[in-house]
Coordinates of all heavy atoms in Angstrom, one line a residue:
M1 N 0.9 -1.2 0.0 CA 0.0 0.0 0.0 C 0.9 1.3 0.0 O 1.9 1.3 0.7 CB -1.0 0.0 1.2 CG -1.8 1.2 1.2 SD -3.0 1.0 2.6 CE -2.9 2.7 3.3
L2 N 0.6 2.2 -0.8 CA 1.3 3.5 -0.9 C 0.7 4.5 0.1 O -0.5 4.5 0.3 CB 1.2 4.1 -2.3 CG 1.8 3.2 -3.4 CD1 1.5 3.9 -4.7 CD2 3.4 3.1 -3.2
W3 N 1.5 5.3 0.6 CA 1.1 6.5 1.4 C 0.3 7.4 0.5 O 0.6 7.5 -0.7 CB 2.2 7.3 2.0 CG 3.0 6.5 3.0 CD1 4.1 5.7 2.8 CD2 2.6 6.3 4.3 NE1 4.5 5.2 4.0 CE2 3.6 5.5 5.0 CE3 1.5 6.8 5.2 CZ2 3.5 5.1 6.3 CZ3 1.6 6.4 6.5 CH2 2.5 5.6 7.1
P4 N -0.8 8.0 1.0 CA -1.7 8.8 0.1 C -0.9 9.9 -0.6 O -1.1 10.1 -1.9 CB -2.6 9.4 1.1 CG -2.8 8.5 2.2 CD -1.4 7.9 2.3
A5 N 0.1 10.6 -0.1 CA 0.9 11.5 -0.7 C 1.7 11.0 -1.9 O 1.7 11.6 -2.9 CB 1.8 12.3 0.3
R6 N 2.3 9.8 -1.7 CA 3.0 9.2 -2.7 C 2.1 8.8 -3.8 O 2.5 8.9 -5.0 CB 3.9 8.0 -2.2 CG 4.6 7.4 -3.3 CD 5.7 6.4 -2.8 NE 6.8 7.2 -2.3 CZ 7.9 6.7 -2.0 NH1 8.1 5.4 -2.0 NH2 8.9 7.5 -1.5
R7 N 1.0 8.2 -3.5 CA 0.0 7.7 -4.5 C -0.5 8.9 -5.3 O -0.5 8.8 -6.6 CB -1.2 7.1 -3.8 CG -2.3 6.6 -4.9 CD -3.6 6.3 -4.2 NE -4.1 7.6 -3.7 CZ -4.6 7.7 -2.5 NH1 -4.7 6.8 -1.7 NH2 -5.1 9.0 -2.1
D8 N -0.7 10.0 -4.7 CA -1.2 11.2 -5.4 C -0.2 11.7 -6.4 O -0.5 12.2 -7.5 CB -1.7 12.3 -4.4 CG -2.8 12.0 -3.6 OD1 -3.6 11.0 -4.1 OD2 -3.2 12.6 -2.7
T9 N 1.2 11.8 -5.9 CA 2.3 12.2 -6.8 C 2.4 11.3 -8.0 O 2.5 11.8 -9.1 CB 3.6 12.2 -6.0 OG1 3.5 13.1 -4.9 CG2 4.7 12.6 -6.9
I10 N 2.2 10.0 -7.8 CA 2.4 9.1 -8.9 C 1.2 9.3 -9.9 O 1.4 9.4 -11.1 CB 2.4 7.6 -8.5 CG1 3.8 7.3 -7.7 CG2 2.2 6.6 -9.6 CD1 3.8 6.1 -7.0
E11 N 0.0 9.5 -9.4 CA -1.2 9.7 -10.2 C -1.1 11.0 -11.0 O -1.4 11.1 -12.1 CB -2.5 9.5 -9.5 CG -2.7 8.1 -9.0 CD -4.0 7.9 -8.3 OE1 -4.7 8.9 -8.0 OE2 -4.3 6.8 -7.8
D12 N -0.5 12.0 -10.3 CA -0.4 13.4 -11.0 C 0.6 13.2 -12.1 O 0.3 13.8 -13.3 CB 0.2 14.4 -10.0 CG -0.9 14.9 -9.0 OD1 -2.0 14.6 -9.2 OD2 -0.5 15.4 -8.0
I13 N 1.6 12.4 -12.0 CA 2.6 12.2 -13.1 C 1.9 11.3 -14.3 O 2.0 11.7 -15.4 CB 3.8 11.4 -12.6 CG1 4.6 12.4 -11.7 CG2 4.7 10.9 -13.8 CD1 5.7 11.7 -10.9
L14 N 1.1 10.3 -13.9 CA 0.5 9.4 -14.9 C -0.6 10.3 -15.7 O -0.7 10.0 -16.9 CB -0.1 8.3 -14.2 CG 0.7 7.2 -13.7 CD1 0.0 6.2 -12.9 CD2 1.5 6.5 -14.8
Y15 N -1.3 11.1 -15.0 CA -2.4 11.8 -15.6 C -2.1 13.2 -16.2 O -2.8 13.8 -16.8 CB -3.6 12.0 -14.7 CG -4.0 10.7 -14.2 CD1 -4.4 10.5 -12.8 CD2 -4.2 9.5 -14.9 CE1 -4.9 9.4 -12.2 CE2 -4.7 8.3 -14.4 CZ -5.0 8.3 -13.0 OH -5.4 7.1 -12.5
A16 N -0.8 13.6 -16.0 CA -0.4 15.0 -16.4 C -0.7 15.4 -17.8 O -1.2 16.5 -18.0 CB 1.1 15.2 -16.0
D17 N -0.4 14.5 -18.7 CA -0.5 14.9 -20.1 C -1.9 14.5 -20.7 O -2.1 14.8 -21.9 CB 0.6 14.4 -21.0 CG 1.9 15.0 -20.4 OD1 1.9 16.2 -20.0 OD2 3.0 14.3 -20.5
I18 N -2.8 13.8 -20.0 CA -4.0 13.3 -20.6 C -4.8 14.5 -21.3 O -5.3 14.4 -22.4 CB -4.9 12.5 -19.6 CG1 -4.1 11.2 -19.2 CG2 -6.2 12.3 -20.0 CD1 -4.8 10.5 -18.1
R19 N -5.1 15.4 -20.4 CA -5.9 16.5 -21.0 C -5.3 17.3 -22.1 O -5.9 17.7 -23.1 CB -6.3 17.4 -19.8 CG -7.4 18.5 -20.2 CD -8.1 19.1 -19.2 NE -9.0 20.1 -19.6 CZ -9.3 21.1 -19.0 NH1 -8.9 21.3 -17.7 NH2 -10.3 22.0 -19.4
A20 N -3.9 17.6 -21.9 CA -3.3 18.2 -23.0 C -3.3 17.5 -24.3 O -3.1 18.2 -25.4 CB -1.8 18.5 -22.5
M21 N -3.4 16.2 -24.3 CA -3.4 15.4 -25.5 C -4.9 15.2 -26.0 O -5.1 14.4 -27.0 CB -2.8 14.1 -25.2 CG -1.3 14.2 -24.9 SD -0.5 12.6 -24.4 CE -0.9 11.5 -25.8
G22 N -5.9 15.9 -25.3 CA -7.2 15.8 -25.7 C -8.0 14.6 -25.1 O -9.1 14.3 -25.5
G23 N -7.4 14.0 -24.2 CA -8.1 12.8 -23.5 C -8.6 13.2 -22.2 O -8.6 14.3 -21.8
S24 N -9.2 12.3 -21.5 CA -9.7 12.4 -20.2 C -9.7 11.1 -19.4 O -9.7 10.1 -20.1 CB -11.1 13.1 -20.1 OG -12.1 12.1 -20.7
F25 N -9.8 11.2 -18.1 CA -9.9 10.0 -17.3 C -11.3 9.4 -17.4 O -12.3 10.2 -17.3 CB -9.5 10.4 -15.9 CG -9.6 9.3 -14.9 CD1 -8.4 8.5 -14.7 CD2 -10.7 9.0 -14.2 CE1 -8.5 7.4 -13.8 CE2 -10.8 7.9 -13.4 CZ -9.6 7.1 -13.1
S26 N -11.4 8.2 -17.4 CA -12.6 7.5 -17.4 C -12.5 6.1 -16.8 O -11.3 5.6 -16.6 CB -13.3 7.4 -18.8 OG -12.5 6.5 -19.5
A27 N -13.5 5.5 -16.5 CA -13.5 4.2 -15.8 C -14.7 3.4 -16.3 O -15.8 3.8 -16.3 CB -13.4 4.3 -14.3
E28 N -14.4 2.2 -16.8 CA -15.5 1.3 -17.4 C -16.6 1.1 -16.4 O -17.8 1.0 -16.8 CB -14.9 0.0 -17.8 CG -15.9 -0.9 -18.5 CD -15.3 -2.2 -19.1 OE1 -14.0 -2.3 -19.1 OE2 -16.0 -3.1 -19.3
H29 N -16.3 0.9 -15.1 CA -17.4 0.6 -14.1 C -17.6 1.7 -13.1 O -18.0 1.4 -12.0 CB -17.0 -0.7 -13.4 CG -16.8 -1.9 -14.3 ND1 -18.0 -2.5 -14.7 CD2 -15.8 -2.6 -14.8 CE1 -17.6 -3.6 -15.5 NE2 -16.3 -3.6 -15.6
G30 N -17.3 2.9 -13.5 CA -17.4 4.0 -12.7 C -16.1 4.6 -12.2 O -15.2 3.7 -12.1
V31 N -16.2 5.8 -11.9 CA -14.9 6.4 -11.4 C -14.5 6.0 -10.0 O -13.3 5.7 -9.8 CB -15.0 8.0 -11.5 CG1 -13.8 8.6 -10.9 CG2 -15.3 8.4 -12.9
G32 N -15.4 5.9 -9.1 CA -15.0 5.5 -7.7 C -14.5 6.7 -7.0 O -13.9 7.6 -7.5
S33 N -14.6 6.7 -5.6 CA -14.2 7.8 -4.8 C -12.7 8.1 -4.8 O -12.4 9.2 -4.6 CB -14.8 7.7 -3.4 OG -14.2 6.6 -2.9
K34 N -11.9 7.0 -5.1 CA -10.5 7.3 -5.0 C -10.0 8.0 -6.3 O -8.8 8.4 -6.4 CB -9.8 5.9 -4.9 CG -10.0 5.3 -3.5 CD -9.2 4.0 -3.4 CE -9.5 3.3 -2.1 NZ -8.8 2.1 -1.9
R35 N -10.8 8.1 -7.3 CA -10.3 8.6 -8.6 C -11.0 9.9 -9.0 O -10.9 10.3 -10.1 CB -10.4 7.5 -9.7 CG -9.7 6.3 -9.5 CD -8.2 6.5 -9.6 NE -7.4 5.2 -9.4 CZ -6.9 4.9 -8.3 NH1 -7.0 5.6 -7.2 NH2 -6.2 3.8 -8.2
I36 N -11.9 10.4 -8.1 CA -12.6 11.6 -8.5 C -11.6 12.8 -8.8 O -11.9 13.5 -9.7 CB -13.5 12.0 -7.3 CG1 -14.7 11.0 -7.3 CG2 -14.1 13.4 -7.5 CD1 -15.6 11.2 -6.1
H37 N -10.5 12.9 -8.1 CA -9.6 13.9 -8.3 C -9.0 13.8 -9.8 O -8.8 14.7 -10.5 CB -8.5 14.0 -7.3 CG -7.6 12.8 -7.4 ND1 -7.9 11.6 -6.8 CD2 -6.4 12.7 -7.9 CE1 -6.9 10.7 -7.1 NE2 -6.0 11.4 -7.7
A38 N -8.8 12.6 -10.2 CA -8.3 12.4 -11.6 C -9.3 12.8 -12.6 O -9.0 13.4 -13.6 CB -7.9 10.9 -11.8
L39 N -10.6 12.5 -12.4 CA -11.6 12.9 -13.3 C -11.7 14.4 -13.4 O -11.8 15.0 -14.5 CB -13.0 12.3 -12.9 CG -14.2 12.7 -13.7 CD1 -14.2 12.1 -15.0 CD2 -15.5 12.3 -13.0
R40 N -11.7 15.0 -12.2 CA -11.8 16.5 -12.1 C -10.6 17.2 -12.9 O -10.7 18.1 -13.5 CB -12.0 17.1 -10.7 CG -13.3 16.7 -10.2 CD -13.4 17.3 -8.7 NE -14.7 17.0 -8.2 CZ -14.9 16.7 -6.9 NH1 -13.9 16.7 -6.1 NH2 -16.2 16.6 -6.5
A41 N -9.4 16.6 -12.7 CA -8.2 17.2 -13.2 C -8.1 17.0 -14.7 O -7.4 17.8 -15.3 CB -7.0 16.6 -12.5
T42 N -8.6 16.0 -15.2 CA -8.4 15.7 -16.7 C -9.6 16.0 -17.5 O -9.5 16.0 -18.7 CB -7.9 14.2 -16.9 OG1 -9.0 13.3 -16.4 CG2 -6.6 13.9 -16.2
S43 N -10.7 16.2 -17.0 CA -12.0 16.3 -17.8 C -12.2 17.8 -18.1 O -11.9 18.7 -17.4 CB -13.3 15.8 -16.9 OG -13.2 14.4 -16.9
D44 N -12.8 17.9 -19.3 CA -13.2 19.2 -19.7 C -14.3 19.8 -18.8 O -15.2 19.1 -18.3 CB -13.9 19.2 -21.1 CG -14.3 20.4 -21.8 OD1 -14.9 21.2 -21.1 OD2 -14.0 20.7 -22.9
P45 N -14.1 21.1 -18.3 CA -15.1 21.6 -17.3 C -16.5 21.6 -17.9 O -17.4 21.4 -17.0 CB -14.6 23.1 -17.2 CG -13.2 23.0 -17.6 CD -13.0 22.0 -18.6
T46 N -16.7 21.7 -19.2 CA -18.1 21.7 -19.7 C -18.7 20.3 -19.5 O -19.9 20.2 -19.2 CB -18.0 22.0 -21.2 OG1 -17.4 23.3 -21.4 CG2 -19.5 22.0 -21.8
K47 N -17.8 19.3 -19.6 CA -18.3 17.9 -19.4 C -18.7 17.7 -17.9 O -19.8 17.1 -17.7 CB -17.2 16.9 -19.8 CG -17.5 15.5 -19.3 CD -16.3 14.6 -19.7 CE -16.4 13.2 -19.2 NZ -15.2 12.4 -19.5
L48 N -18.0 18.3 -17.0 CA -18.4 18.1 -15.6 C -19.6 18.9 -15.3 O -20.5 18.4 -14.5 CB -17.2 18.6 -14.7 CG -16.0 17.8 -14.8 CD1 -14.9 18.5 -14.0 CD2 -16.1 16.4 -14.4
V49 N -19.9 20.1 -15.9 CA -21.1 20.9 -15.7 C -22.2 20.0 -16.2 O -23.3 19.9 -15.6 CB -21.1 22.2 -16.4 CG1 -22.4 22.9 -16.4 CG2 -20.0 23.1 -15.6
L50 N -22.1 19.5 -17.4 CA -23.2 18.7 -18.0 C -23.4 17.4 -17.2 O -24.6 17.2 -16.9 CB -22.8 18.2 -19.4 CG -23.8 17.4 -20.2 CD1 -25.1 18.2 -20.3 CD2 -23.2 17.0 -21.6
M51 N -22.5 16.8 -16.6 CA -22.7 15.6 -15.7 C -23.5 16.1 -14.5 O -24.4 15.3 -14.0 CB -21.3 15.0 -15.3 CG -20.7 14.3 -16.5 SD -19.0 13.8 -16.1 CE -19.1 12.7 -14.7
A52 N -23.1 17.2 -14.0 CA -23.8 17.7 -12.7 C -25.3 18.0 -13.1 O -26.1 17.8 -12.3 CB -23.1 19.0 -12.2
Q53 N -25.6 18.5 -14.2 CA -26.9 18.9 -14.6 C -27.7 17.6 -14.8 O -28.9 17.6 -14.4 CB -26.8 19.7 -15.9 CG -26.4 21.2 -15.6 CD -26.2 21.9 -17.0 OE1 -26.2 21.4 -18.0 NE2 -26.2 23.2 -16.9
I54 N -27.1 16.6 -15.3 CA -27.8 15.3 -15.6 C -28.1 14.7 -14.2 O -29.3 14.2 -13.9 CB -27.0 14.4 -16.5 CG1 -26.9 14.9 -17.9 CG2 -27.6 13.0 -16.4 CD1 -26.0 14.2 -18.7
K55 N -27.1 14.7 -13.3 CA -27.3 14.2 -12.0 C -28.5 14.9 -11.2 O -29.3 14.3 -10.6 CB -26.1 14.3 -11.1 CG -26.3 14.2 -9.6 CD -25.9 12.9 -9.1 CE -25.7 12.9 -7.6 NZ -26.8 12.5 -6.9
K56 N -28.5 16.3 -11.4 CA -29.5 17.0 -10.7 C -30.9 16.7 -11.3 O -31.9 16.6 -10.7 CB -29.2 18.5 -10.9 CG -30.2 19.4 -10.1 CD -29.8 20.8 -10.2 CE -30.7 21.7 -9.4 NZ -30.2 23.2 -9.4
A57 N -31.0 16.5 -12.7 CA -32.3 16.2 -13.4 C -32.8 14.8 -12.9 O -33.9 14.6 -12.7 CB -32.1 16.3 -14.8
L58 N -31.8 13.9 -12.8 CA -32.2 12.5 -12.4 C -32.4 12.2 -10.9 O -33.1 11.2 -10.6 CB -31.2 11.5 -13.0 CG -31.1 11.5 -14.6 CD1 -30.0 10.5 -15.0 CD2 -32.4 11.0 -15.2
D59 N -31.8 13.1 -10.2 CA -31.8 12.9 -8.7 C -32.0 14.2 -8.0 O -31.1 14.8 -7.4 CB -30.4 12.2 -8.3 CG -30.4 12.0 -6.8 OD1 -31.4 11.9 -6.1 OD2 -29.2 11.8 -6.3
P60 N -33.2 14.8 -8.2 CA -33.4 16.3 -7.7 C -33.3 16.3 -6.2 O -32.9 17.3 -5.6 CB -34.8 16.6 -8.2 CG -35.4 15.3 -8.5 CD -34.3 14.4 -9.0
A61 N -33.5 15.2 -5.5 CA -33.4 15.2 -3.9 C -32.0 14.8 -3.5 O -31.8 14.8 -2.3 CB -34.5 14.2 -3.4
N62 N -31.2 14.6 -4.5 CA -29.7 14.2 -4.1 C -29.6 13.1 -3.2 O -28.9 13.1 -2.2 CB -29.0 15.5 -3.6 CG -27.5 15.4 -3.6 OD1 -27.0 14.8 -4.5 ND2 -26.8 16.0 -2.7
L63 N -30.3 12.0 -3.5 CA -30.3 10.8 -2.7 C -29.2 9.8 -3.0 O -28.8 9.1 -2.2 CB -31.7 10.1 -2.8 CG -32.9 10.9 -2.3 CD1 -34.1 10.1 -2.6 CD2 -32.7 11.2 -0.8
F64 N -28.8 9.8 -4.3 CA -27.9 8.9 -4.8 C -26.4 9.4 -4.7 O -26.0 10.3 -5.3 CB -28.1 8.4 -6.2 CG -29.5 8.1 -6.4 CD1 -30.3 8.7 -7.4 CD2 -30.1 7.0 -5.7 CE1 -31.6 8.3 -7.6 CE2 -31.4 6.6 -5.9 CZ -32.2 7.3 -6.8
N65 N -25.6 8.8 -3.8 CA -24.3 9.2 -3.6 C -24.1 10.7 -3.3 O -23.3 11.4 -4.0 CB -23.4 8.8 -4.8 CG -23.2 7.3 -4.8 OD1 -23.1 6.7 -3.8 ND2 -23.1 6.8 -6.0
P66 N -24.7 11.3 -2.4 CA -24.7 12.7 -2.1 C -23.2 13.1 -1.6 O -22.5 12.5 -0.9 CB -25.6 13.0 -1.0 CG -25.8 11.6 -0.2 CD -25.6 10.6 -1.3
G67 N -22.8 14.2 -2.3 CA -21.5 14.7 -2.0 C -20.3 14.0 -2.6 O -19.2 14.3 -2.3
K68 N -20.5 12.9 -3.3 CA -19.4 12.1 -3.9 C -18.7 12.8 -5.0 O -17.5 12.9 -5.0 CB -19.9 10.7 -4.4 CG -20.4 9.9 -3.3 CD -19.2 9.4 -2.5 CE -19.7 8.4 -1.4 NZ -18.6 7.8 -0.6
L69 N -19.3 13.3 -6.0 CA -18.7 13.9 -7.1 C -19.2 15.4 -7.2 O -18.3 16.2 -7.5 CB -19.0 13.2 -8.4 CG -18.4 13.7 -9.7 CD1 -16.8 13.8 -9.6 CD2 -18.8 12.9 -10.9
F70 N -20.4 15.6 -7.0 CA -20.9 17.0 -7.1 C -21.4 17.5 -5.8 O -22.2 16.9 -5.2 CB -22.0 17.0 -8.2 CG -21.6 16.4 -9.5 CD1 -22.1 15.2 -9.9 CD2 -20.7 17.1 -10.4 CE1 -21.7 14.7 -11.2 CE2 -20.3 16.6 -11.5 CZ -20.8 15.3 -11.9
D71 N -20.9 18.7 -5.4 CA -21.4 19.4 -4.2 C -22.7 20.0 -4.6 O -22.9 20.6 -5.6 CB -20.4 20.3 -3.7 CG -19.1 19.6 -3.3 OD1 -19.2 18.5 -2.8 OD2 -18.0 20.2 -3.5
R72 N -23.7 20.0 -3.6 CA -25.0 20.6 -4.0 C -25.1 21.8 -2.9 O -24.8 21.6 -1.7 CB -26.1 19.6 -3.7 CG -26.1 18.5 -4.7 CD -26.7 18.9 -6.0 NE -28.0 19.1 -6.1 CZ -28.9 18.2 -6.5 NH1 -28.6 17.0 -6.9 NH2 -30.2 18.4 -6.4
S73 N -25.6 22.8 -3.3 CA -25.8 24.0 -2.4 C -27.3 24.0 -2.0 O -28.1 23.4 -2.6 CB -25.3 25.3 -2.9 OG -25.8 25.4 -4.3

């Protein structure tokens, strides 16, 4: 097991050029709470806004995974 700081450093290096090359982080079976920072760091901000809007439309009461990816005010 890696210390969180070391893991984060390694992941920062691995994901550093993804967005610059036009890519983004994704996961076949969902992102998972450990990879949310990678999704936010590599995804187009417009994509994240659209994802938040879809979540709000499908889950207006914020019952499904509240606070996991999108903060609600």
